[in-house]
Every structure is written in structure tokens, then in C-alpha cells.
Amino acid sequence: MRKVAVLGIGSTPFGVLKDKSLKEIATTACNEALNDAGIRREQIQAFYLGNYMYGFVSKQESIASMVAENLGLKKEIEQASFSGGIAFRHGWLLVASGLCDFVLVAGVEKMSDLPRETITSIIASSMEWEQQGKFYLTFPGYFGIIAHRYMHEFKVDMDAIHNVSIKNRMNGVKNPRARFRKEITLGQIKSSRVIADPLRLYDCCPNADGAAAAVLGPADIAHKYRSDMIEILGCIQSSGHSSLYAIEDPTTISSTMYAAKAAFSMAGLTPRDIDVVELYDCFSINEIITSEDLGFFKKGTGAIALREGRTEMGGDIPINPSGGLLSKGHPPGATGLGQVYEMVKQLRGEHENQVAGARTGLIHHQGASSEVAIVAILRKRY
Amino acid sequence: MRKVAVLGIGSTPFGVLKDKSLKEIATTACNEALNDAGIRREQIQAFYLGNYMYGFVSKQESIASMVAENLGLKKEIEQASFSGGIAFRHGWLLVASGLCDFVLVAGVEKMSDLPRETITSIIASSMEWEQQGKFYLTFPGYFGIIAHRYMHEFKVDMDAIHNVSIKNRMNGVKNPRARFRKEITLGQIKSSRVIADPLRLYDCCPNADGAAAAVLGPADIAHKYRSDMIEILGCIQSSGHSSLYAIEDPTTISSTMYAAKAAFSMAGLTPRDIDVVELYDCFSINEIITSEDLGFFKKGTGAIALREGRTEMGGDIPINPSGGLLSKGHPPGATGLGQVYEMVKQLRGEHENQVAGARTGLIHHQGASSEVAIVAILRKRY
């Protein structure tokens, strides 16, 4: 397997992008990534596009090829529409295997023009439904149950979990790509409405429109294109249980644990080597259990580490300096590549909310309840 | 890149499988492939499942992980839901790259319980819709236009195109996995109703339920599991135009042409080395133009080669001895793996409609109008 580098990145802001079509925002992010990489579009040998809900709502599938036409990519490339971070993982695989040199991976979602009921129903379709549908469990309910169990098991209160939202909203203030850029207080969170007990409005990531993209290429020739090379040291996709009733321990996401172990092993690193993390904080509770499952803190101590400031800016392992999904918003097809964008900016030392001296970073992306997790470890090579 | 072998195959019959759920038929095909390979399910490191319409109609996405649970696969494997033949291509990539040793790839579709209008609308969602939607073009119309152009360009009549259906239905008689197993006459075809002029009912592949699966592994250790090894010499996915208005020559599917050239080059073979072909005869006309685009016949001579008997059993290059999509039926998510199943049986010398002495075979799979084509070349190693 060859070493793979991220040569270019592009992203629209995440938020409400009413006046642009889905194809337009995807094209914008892709063009930015191509320009940033400084390679010609004729060099692109494959294009993978992540999207989740467009096919459901627009009667239009196969959008990868339409965006490729907008971009003026060559015809004879490999193309596919994937969901979320899977585009990144499989783009990496094409380059790592030696099958392709330059690959464009992107993700896009448009949610602001959809009724809320439609969004809820489409998102819930990613949950196991045969069993869980019986009691109308959707994602907020699922993570609410996990939060209850976590509090019971490890004797923490809900305030300790709300701290995730306070920290991430504070980080998001500096990020021009974040949907929400205002600090929030514990009081505001506690007086916001309950979405699924014990989770309140500010414990849940907001919907968003957005697109993000990256150009991947072989690390051994990356210096021809950029002086600051961001290398992908490890990239693993793993699966877990598809429903709550099959999970032995609801305070652990096994797919995250498996993917992290394998990614660290592939990279030849340990959690101590990581300077900065972008992880999937779809709900506040998920940042806490994920910070444990990734190996940064012992199980049951993530909320304490957060309270001690270890995961905030200036802490020993800053998590979600971008503001995370809780600030940026969550356009499902785009979020995985959005995390890549934020991390590459961090490792280049160019982030609006820069972690000083960050050289090695970890990205964690999750799909559905806990079926799929992707962990990638990136490092700046001097 | 490592050489990859097909170690095991499984398939349900294609047709109307009313009393079984989608997960059940997928599980059946997968279990058959695992048993056929003679490897233990704990050895499987990744599972890719192809499916097209289940998410639309059932409010249930993420079915790969549910089928994986049914199968009792390990939790910590890579899993994803893909469309059609892309599962095969990406499973191959995982083994070829050295990332995994044993991978299970499968495809499944359930159509018989859906109203025809729902099916038409879901299938049409794979066409480019912004332009083509204006004049309500669906797939039969698209291929009807191609048939008209082919007849005009190369001075053949519709009888020459109907011959595809006659040949494939005759082949399907012997295939227990085919939905339709009765010969049809030119008279029957010509008196069947017009679906989209000039295509009549028997020029169009029927819908079907079905599932098929294969176990892939490294060729260099395949002999430990099976004495008759089927090696994948080339496997390429390529893209083309997304809509009719962008195509320069409607009698050529450029994605097929690109994929075939690259697959032959990867395999180090030419069309003359191929003994048997399974290709994507979604409509009769598509077999003719594809037989040319794959390099077997000069452009414009495919219908003549067919009339001369060159593509029938006993001809120099038999096409679709399984009966093809026209006889087997077309469950979109399952068809690509169904083709793998038929081809592996041919190369093992165990097919119900065996091409004598077949050693090297080509599979062609197509997605949407012509956006995606996958070409794989398989050979039996003694």
C-alpha cells in the first residue's frame, strides 16, 4: 500500500444556502479543492461523491456524474455516489492501492428546503427499523437512552454532558464555516426545550446545507504540488451493531473502538501522539463516549476530562476546535469531508481557531446508530 | 496489486419470491457463497452489499449491517451498502490492495411487492432529470432512441435487434435461476405491445426479486480452499455521460468502451482471448451496441454477427448463455453479482447451459443510462 496525501481542500460554509442548488454547492467545493491542490482536472482519475438524501427528495440519483460534468472532469474516470465519509475512505483506497494517482472526493447535502418531518423520516431510515420501529425510536431517542445509561453508570449529571455544547459553541465562534457562531451558557442549554430526555435542543447538532471536498494523491510525489504535505497515516472503516437491542454496553460504540485501534496500528501511533481531534458530535453525549472509545480517556472519565479543560483549546488534546457538528451543523453527506477540511487547515497551521503546534490529527466519522465508523490519522510532513 | 480469486458463489433464483423478505434472500445467497468457498465466516474481513430500491420503499437504509448480523459475521469488519456491481468492484479492490484477505460481496433486490408506478419512478431517478425530465424520458424511451439511431446509422431493421431476445430466451430455458424459461418467436415479439417505440415488451428485461453473492480472496492462497480457482485478471469501473443530450454518438456507450479497454489492458488480453460473455442486456439493443463497445465486433456489425450465429451457443463468442437479464429478470442490486455467479459456473465447467471448454470469460455490468460501466475478466487457472 502506498502512502496517500491530502493535496487540496475546499468547503462551502455550512448553514442555510437557499439560493444555490445542490449541484452548485458541490461544484464550488470541488473547484476550490482542485485549485488548492494545484493539479489540473485532467489528472483526476476518480471522483467519489458522498450524499445522503438527495435521491429521496428529488427523484434524482446518480448525481456524481452530473457534478463531474459540471466540473469538466474527464469522462473515463471511476465515479460513484457514496454516503458521507465512505467517499473519503474509498478514495484513499484507490490511491493507496496504486490503482489511481489523483482522486477527487467530495460530499454534499441540501436540507434547508425540506420540511422537518421529511428530514426526520429520511434520517430515521438509517436506523434498524424492524425492531426499533416498534417503539418509534429515532436518533435523538437513541442517544438519549445512551446518555441516561452513561449518567447512571459513571455517576455524572447532565451538566457534565452539556459542557460539550458549551465548549464546541465557543470553538465555533471563530469558524466562518460554522452555522452557529455564538457562545451559549449552561443556563441557556438547561432552559432550552427537551428533544429526547435528557437531551435538550443544544445537545443536538443542527441540520445544514453544505459541501466539502478534497484531492488525494500519492505522498511520494505530493511535494511537486505543495510544500506542506498532509499525509494520511491510517484510514480504517469498521462496523458495529445495527440496533440498540443488540448492544451489550450502550456506553461504548464498538465500531469506533475497532476503527481507532486499527487506525492507530496502521499509523504506528498511539493516542498520546495525537495533537488535535475532529470527532462526530452528533449529540453532546457522543463526544464524551467517543473521546473514550478512541482511546484518549479511560471509559467513564471523558466527562471529567472535559470538565478539567483537557479537550478545550489549550488543553492537552483539543477536540473539535472547528466547533464540531454542534456548531457547524450537520449536512450528512458533507460532514465527513468537512472534518477533513478542518483538520487539514489545522495541520497546515492555517485554521481560524488554530491549535498551536498541531502536527498530528485524528478524524472520527460515524454513520447511522453505530453501524459504521471511520477513523483517519493525518500528519504534516516537513 | 495482488491477484484476486473468486472462491465461492451463491444465488437465489431470480423471479417472484413472494414469501421471503429481502434480508432472508440476501442471507440465503451469502450463506451459499460462504459454504461454496469453504471458509469460515470469522475469516470474512469486509462485507459489501449492493441494493438499489429498498431504502426508498421501506424506510430502511443501512441494510448491510442487518444482513451481516443475520449471517453471524464478525462485528469489526468493513461494511457498506452499494449499488449493484460496485460492491464487486470495491470488494475486489480491498483484496487486490492487500487490505483484506477474504471479502463477501452480495447484491439483493425485492420488486414483486411494489406497485409498477413506484418501480418506474424509482428506476427513473437514476437518469439525469434536470434536462431529460422535461420530456419525461425514462429508460425504455432512452434505449428506444438509441435503437432508432442504430437502425438508421447501420441500415438494420428491428427484426435484427429482436434476435437478441430470441437468442437469450432460448439460452434461459436451461437456467433454473431465470425468471422466464420459455422460448419466444419473432412473431410473438412483433405482436407484443410497444413499450417505447421501437422497443416491444420482449425487448425489455423483466423486473425480478433475487440475491447473489461471492466470496473473494487472494489468488495465491486460493488453492487451499478450492482446487478449481477462478482468477480475476482485470476489473475496471468507468464512467460516461449522464444524459442523452451530452452524448456525441448514441450508438456507443463510452463508459463500456473505456472500462473494456482498461480491463483488457490490466488482464494483458484482447477480445480474441475471451471464450464467453455475460453482458448487461437491459434492452435487446444494448446487447448489440455493447458487443461492439467491448471490442468483439466492429461498430455497426453487432447485429450481423448475431444473425450469423456467432454469439449463440456454439458460436465463436457466446453472449449471455445464462439467458441474460432478458430471461433471468433484472433485480438491479443483485444483477451484477448474478453475472459473476453465472460466469464462475461457466468457467468451472458446471453451468446448466455450458459453453464447451470455456476458460476465460468477460462480465459487463452497467448502471443508469451509461454513467457507470464495470468490466471484469475472469480466468480458470489449472
Side-chain angles (χ1 to χ4, degrees), chain B residues 110-130:
Chain B
K110 195 87 203 300
M111 304 173 87
S112 64
D113 35 14
L114 298 176
R116 187 177 304 174
E117 299 69 33
T118 307
I119 293 177
T120 302
S121 132
I122 294 175
I123 290 185
S125 74
S126 274
M127 302 193 71
E128 190 283 333
W129 207 241
E130 209 169 284

Side-chain angles (χ1 to χ4, degrees), chain A residues 41 67 102 126 159 162 164 239 253 273 304 310 336 348 377:
Chain A
R41 52 204 68 218
V67 174
F102 299 106
S126 274
D159 287 4
H162 292 319
V164 172
S239 59
I253 307 268
D273 298 310
I304 300 162
R310 296 182 60 189
R348 286 179 179 176
I377 297 172

Side-chain angles (χ1 to χ4, degrees), chain A residues 296-362:
Chain A
F296 296 113
F297 308 116
K298 220 172 121 258
K299 183 50 63 190
T301 67
I304 300 162
L306 169 65
R307 188 151 44 195
E308 291 171 345
R310 296 182 60 189
T311 61
E312 64 188 37
M313 298 301 291
D316 59 302
I317 181 74
I319 293 179
N320 288 326
S322 71
L325 283 60
L326 286 166
S327 302
K328 288 190 73 184
H330 181 29
T335 290
L337 268 303
Q339 294 176 305
V340 172
Y341 183 96
E342 303 293 339
M343 183 55 74
V344 168
K345 276 189 81 99
Q346 282 290 346
L347 302 181
R348 286 179 179 176
E350 295 169 356
H351 201 279
E352 296 85 351
N353 193 29
Q354 181 67 42
V355 174
R359 196 187 155 203
T360 311
L362 181 144

Side-chain angles (χ1 to χ4, degrees), chain B residues 12-23:
Chain B
T12 67
F14 286 9
V16 178
L17 309 172
K18 277 271 185 214
D19 52 338
K20 298 261 173 65
S21 78
L22 177 125
K23 290 180 210 171

Side-chain angles (χ1 to χ4, degrees), chain B residues 85-163:
Chain B
I86 294 183
F88 178 72
R89 153 79 178 174
H90 284 81
W92 168 82
L93 186 55
L94 283 179
V95 181
S97 68
L99 211 65
C100 293
D101 280 340
F102 299 106
V103 170
L104 177 63
V105 289
V108 63
E109 208 71 62
K110 195 87 203 300
M111 304 173 87
S112 64
D113 35 14
L114 298 176
R116 187 177 304 174
E117 299 69 33
T118 307
I119 293 177
T120 302
S121 132
I122 294 175
I123 290 185
S125 74
S126 274
M127 302 193 71
E128 190 283 333
W129 207 241
E130 209 169 284
Q131 301 293 327
Q132 300 180 141
K134 285 176 199 160
F135 42 101
Y136 295 97
L137 189 67
T138 57
F139 282 109
Y142 185 96
F143 283 95
I145 291 170
I146 290 177
H148 272 302
R149 189 72 206 169
Y150 189 92
M151 290 193 290
H152 170 81
E153 202 78 62
F154 303 115
K155 319 286 176 234
V156 298
D157 59 15
M158 201 52 211
D159 286 7
I161 295 172
H162 292 321
N163 283 338

Side-chain angles (χ1 to χ4, degrees), chain B residues 350-372:
Chain B
E350 295 171 355
H351 201 278
E352 296 85 352
N353 193 29
Q354 181 68 42
V355 173
R359 195 187 157 205
T360 310
L362 181 145
I363 299 166
H364 162 264
H365 187 67
Q366 188 174 319
S369 324
S370 67
E371 276 105 303
V372 182

